Amino acid sequence: MSSTHDSSAPFVQLEGVTKRHGGVAAVDALSLTLRRGEFFALLGPSGCGKTSLLRLIAGFETPDEGRIFIDGEDVTGTPPHRRPVNMMFQTYALFPHMNVARNIGFGLVQEGIARAEIARRVTEMLRLVQLEGLGERRPDQLSGGQKQRVALARALVKRPKLLLLDEPLAALDRRLREETQFELMHLQERLGATFLVVTHDQREAMVMASRIGVMRAGRIEQIGAPAEIYERPISSYVAQFIGEINLIEGVVKGQSAEGPLAEARSGLLGVSIAAGLIDVACAVAHAPGSRVAIAVRPERIRVAPLDRAQEFPNVLTGEIEESAYLGDMTLYRVRLAGGLVLRAAHQNARPGAHSFESGDRVAASFAPDAGIVLPA
Amino acid sequence: MTKAQPPANFEAGLGRWLVLALPYAWLVLFFLAPFALILKVSLSEPELSQPPYAPVFDSWDASVIVDKLRSLSLGAYARLIEDALYLRSYLESAAMAGAATFATLLIGYPLALAIARSPARWRLLLLTLAIAPLWTSSLVRVYAWILILKDEGVLNHALIALGLVTEPLHIFATNWAVLIGIVYAYLPFMALPLYAAIENQDRQLAEAAADLGAGAGGIFWRITLPLSLPGVYAGALMVFIPAVGEFVIPDLLGGSDTLMIGTTLWNDFFVNRDWPAAAAAAVALLALLLGPLLFYERMQMQAGANRR
């Protein structure tokens, strides 16, 4: 991130923004602050209101309630063509009757900039997105990846303070998508602009963004750095949306201030689940008898032969229901006593590491600090 | 407006030929055959008989064909050039059709834009209203315009009652009345292709333009209008071509100074009974209208090539 700006100063501020579509709140009393120069990702399933939020910031829609500030200026009622914001559309929305150069130069012509200067800046943008020499092409003569770059160049040519990207990579195939993720990051670092990207792809958000806001039904459920959201989700919704996770429901038995793990600063929560009793690290007080959900990532679940069960904490015995060898890892589905199925991912760090087949009786276990206690 | 491309796996079988043959059979039967008849008449000399033209090519006897060919005459076409009336008719028809095309465009574009931009549930109703006049006979509608436009008609009554004019405006039986009638009658033919061309546009293109700093005017002139040009061309042709040859409207609404090729043709056929001259005028009109048609075809080809 750029060090020339105070990166903690609020750059984009949404205060209690609500937008209803036919009585349903697409964006519901949402407040959000973006810092100058950050790469922020709004993550959520389709219909969660993330695109509506983007359109509110771009000015295509006006909020029913609340205010929007960009760089200290109230833009709530400002029409889109007067906002210091540019947007890259999911469908790219390239002008079909203009060639690439005129598409990119559109925003500059609109500003009344001299033709020679426009030509210079268009060439500069073509170089930036590696499309030199394609200025004369028509949009329909371009590949999907090239169109995506033209759309990006067109949105960047006016040097916007804030670039909005609506599912910028959704139309690309997987390999191109992964390459482009890194390119977007580098571009954002180079330009020092603030990027707000909307995506339903949690991997994409985690790769690119410095902060992620997980949206649910018009609200932001959790905001944090990718690692924070992944490792400390605040709800089962966030936990399930970001990566794979096992949710184990149970009832609190008791809580100890001092656990057997000396390094764990938090106390241990004893939770009774259908398959037995487990200990989970937890700093928050929970009354005995309250219902909780324990979230455990598949990669934190160890699968071992039954005869080694006593070596590990939180052992749950079960039977391998399915196993899938993926090369770098093997995925197991372990059916526990009580019917719950745990997903476990084993890294195949060494060739010929222990593998199990369906029907094998195994001990599934996880360390107390691998479990996240969530409200049930 | 894309040209329909047959799918790659379309079988070049009997079914395909039938599908193609049907419209062609229609065209041959109802367009080419009558046209051949007109062409034949145009190459004849007028006679005071029934039918009022000298027979040519009535027998297909090989021995007399050369004779018959000799009897062909370009006299009618010579009269077409010699008589200034025809040239004036063509020019005035073209001017009238051109003015009507321009006026329908000026009225039809905002109309089509408004319908295309209205809420989806209103669009069908508004579109139906725009073409509703076509459900009644054009003759009835032209007569209605006589009632509106004549000196003691509805319009003049209203204008005088409102105090806007003291003397009735003489619109009826002038070229203005013809223009108003043609604009009214052909407005749907302009508005429909325009509507299709505007409604088809990706609304996100307008949003992208706004996002890049274009206000309402910039969006219209740089996005909406250029993208709707195929609709403008189609609408202009659909108004211009029939308007050039329009007969009923100039005949009923026009005055003695109204000179359009449709009325001239009618006079030649039924008043002067110079069928060859009338037929030659019709053939020449068709030849003249090929110009704008070929232009349109070229625009379509270019648009198609750009899309590829």
Side-chain angles (χ1 to χ4, degrees):
Chain A
M1 243 169 284
S2 169
S3 56
T4 52
H5 299 291
D6 177 8
S7 62
S8 64
F11 178 60
V12 178
Q13 251 183 305
L14 282 78
E15 290 177 357
V17 171
T18 296
K19 178 70 188 178
R20 292 181 201 91
H21 290 299
V24 182
V27 176
D28 189 5
L30 186 146
S31 294
L32 172 68
T33 302
L34 301 190
R35 302 173 193 138
R36 190 186 295 277
E38 78 171 324
F39 199 135
F40 192 95
L42 275 173
L43 180 62
S46 60
C48 72
K50 56 192 195 303
T51 295
S52 288
L53 189 60
L54 211 61
R55 294 175 59 80
L56 285 166
I57 298 174
F60 301 134
E61 286 169 33
T62 42
D64 296 321
E65 284 159 38
R67 310 218 66 82
I68 299 172
F69 299 87
I70 297 174
D71 209 7
E73 195 188 333
D74 187 342
V75 298
T76 312
T78 309
H81 64 280
R82 298 230 172 81
R83 295 195 184 193
V85 172
N86 285 124
M87 175 148 160
M88 196 192 130
F89 291 81
Q90 182 175 4
T91 57
Y92 308 145
L94 299 181
F95 306 128
H97 58 303
M98 298 182 189
N99 64 24
V100 167
R102 288 188 57 214
N103 260 284
I104 297 175
F106 186 93
L108 300 177
V109 173
Q110 219 51 53
E111 277 181 0
I113 291 173
R115 202 181 298 173
E117 170 70 4
I118 292 175
R120 196 188 62 73
R121 280 173 67 176
V122 167
T123 312
E124 183 188 302
M125 289 314 298
L126 283 171
R127 195 177 314 126
L128 185 72
V129 297
Q130 298 163 39
L131 287 176
E132 287 124 308
L134 295 188
E136 296 302 313
R137 293 266 186 98
R138 292 233 169 201
D140 53 13
Q141 296 170 318
L142 301 176
S143 72
Q146 288 169 332
K147 281 184 199 170
Q148 192 259 1
R149 285 152 190 274
V150 175
L152 186 63
R154 190 179 67 175
L156 283 172
V157 76
K158 289 180 78 175
R159 298 167 188 155
K161 295 182 198 170
L162 173 64
L163 182 69
L164 308 173
L165 304 104
D166 187 6
E167 301 273 4
L169 309 175
L172 303 182
D173 64 52
R174 203 180 129 204
R175 247 192 52 207
L176 200 54
R177 198 157 62 221
E178 282 172 7
E179 270 172 38
T180 315
Q181 285 170 2
F182 287 103
E183 276 173 28
L184 275 180
M185 283 168 69
H186 294 148
L187 209 57
Q188 190 265 343
E189 272 167 26
R190 238 176 96 184
L191 301 173
T194 308
F195 277 31
L196 173 57
V197 62
V198 150
T199 178
H200 67 278
D201 182 338
Q202 51 98 7
R203 261 186 73 95
E204 196 174 295
M206 291 179 77
V207 169
M208 296 194 293
S210 47
R211 285 200 305 155
I212 294 175
V214 182
M215 276 193 78
R216 175 189 197 179
R219 291 167 176 273
I220 290 188
E221 184 111 337
Q222 186 174 6
I223 292 182
E228 200 179 323
I229 296 229
Y230 187 79
E231 285 164 22
R232 289 190 298 281
I234 61 154
S235 68
S236 51
Y237 174 84
V238 174
Q240 281 177 303
F241 199 78
I242 308 280
E244 291 274 293
I245 205 153
N246 297 293
L247 281 180
I248 309 163
E249 290 188 3
V251 179
V252 174
K253 279 288 161 209
Q255 196 162 19
S256 68
E258 208 69 37
L261 290 173
E263 68 269 27
R265 271 184 294 149
S266 50
L268 280 183
L269 199 64
V271 180
S272 155
I273 63 167
L277 199 66
I278 52 176
D279 288 334
V280 187
C282 182
V284 185
H286 285 271
S290 57
R291 301 196 59 81
V292 290
I294 310 299
V296 191
R297 298 280 177 199
E299 70 270 20
R300 302 295 296 270
I301 292 187
R302 192 186 290 112
V303 181
L306 271 186
D307 53 9
R308 290 179 58 200
Q310 67 283 2
E311 296 172 32
F312 307 112
N314 289 338
V315 168
L316 303 166
T317 57
E319 189 182 300
I320 301 278
E321 196 175 70
E322 268 177 288
S323 73
Y325 176 76
L326 299 183
D328 57 341
M329 63 171 86
T330 304
L331 299 182
Y332 295 114
R333 289 166 63 85
V334 184
R335 181 173 292 278
L336 304 181
L340 186 75
V341 175
L342 282 187
R343 281 165 298 179
H346 251 213
Q347 291 294 326
N348 295 329
R350 290 167 290 124
H354 213 108
S355 68
F356 303 95
E357 313 222 332
S358 48
D360 287 356
R361 301 279 304 161
V362 292
S365 62
F366 59 92
D369 66 346
I372 307 150
V373 182
L374 299 172
Chain B
M1 310 221 149
T2 47
K3 294 211 151 178
Q5 289 287 325
N9 59 352
F10 196 89
E11 295 270 316
L14 185 68
R16 184 185 183 175
W17 284 112
L18 270 176
V19 167
L20 281 177
L22 219 66
Y24 275 104
W26 176 276
L27 283 176
V28 166
L29 202 62
F30 295 108
F31 176 75
L32 205 57
F35 178 71
L37 268 173
I38 293 289
L39 189 66
K40 193 186 87 161
V41 174
S42 79
L43 292 170
S44 152
E45 283 292 340
E47 268 190 5
L48 287 171
S49 63
Q50 192 64 255
Y53 58 93
V56 284
F57 268 117
D58 277 355
S59 155
W60 290 99
D61 187 344
S63 64
V64 295
I65 271 210
V66 178
D67 250 13
K68 297 286 181 192
L69 273 176
R70 269 200 206 108
S71 77
L72 285 182
S73 157
L74 288 173
Y77 289 92
R79 286 203 296 289
L80 219 55
I81 296 165
E82 283 160 13
D83 193 341
L85 178 77
Y86 290 103
L87 185 65
R88 270 190 55 212
S89 297
Y90 282 123
L91 288 179
E92 291 204 13
S93 294
M96 178 64 77
T101 304
F102 188 64
T104 48
L105 184 62
L106 282 190
I107 302 168
Y109 206 104
L111 179 71
L113 191 64
I115 297 176
R117 294 282 189 263
S118 60
R121 66 202 142 103
W122 287 104
R123 256 176 249 162
L124 186 65
L125 178 71
L126 292 172
L127 208 58
T128 311
L129 285 177
I131 59 170
L134 297 180
W135 296 349
T136 59
S137 150
S138 70
L139 211 55
V140 172
R141 287 180 286 134
V142 175
Y143 272 112
W145 275 107
I146 297 178
L147 295 180
I148 295 170
L149 295 176
K150 64 184 179 179
D151 286 8
E152 62 280 14
V154 178
L155 179 68
N156 277 316
H157 271 302
L159 290 178
I160 290 168
L162 288 171
L164 292 173
V165 294
T166 49
E167 291 290 300
L169 295 175
H170 299 294
I171 302 173
F172 177 62
T174 67
N175 278 339
W176 286 110
V178 179
L179 183 63
I180 291 171
I182 293 181
V183 167
Y184 164 77
Y186 288 99
L187 188 60
F189 298 100
M190 176 63 88
L192 279 182
L194 284 178
Y195 167 80
I198 298 168
E199 208 264 340
N200 243 336
Q201 286 177 22
D202 182 356
R203 288 303 302 275
Q204 222 151 47
L205 297 178
E207 285 184 349
D211 185 68
L212 293 165
I219 294 172
F220 178 78
W221 290 110
R222 299 189 59 201
I223 306 296
T224 312
L225 183 65
L227 285 176
S228 67
L229 280 181
V232 173
Y233 296 140
L237 275 185
M238 288 178 74
V239 172
F240 184 82
I241 288 177
V244 168
E246 177 61 50
F247 165 71
V248 174
I249 295 170
D251 192 53
L252 292 180
L253 296 180
S256 51
D257 60 335
T258 301
L259 193 63
M260 282 186 69
I261 196 68
T263 40
T264 306
L265 274 175
W266 195 87
N267 281 334
D268 271 343
F269 265 115
F270 301 109
V271 181
N272 302 338
R273 294 187 66 78
D274 185 351
W275 282 29
V283 171
L285 179 62
L286 186 76
L288 291 176
L289 289 179
L290 276 178
L293 268 175
L294 288 175
F295 172 75
Y296 177 70
E297 193 62 21
R298 249 191 61 177
M299 298 306 294
Q300 289 268 294
M301 301 269 272
Q302 268 179 8
N306 284 338
R307 215 157 277 137
R308 225 148 284 142

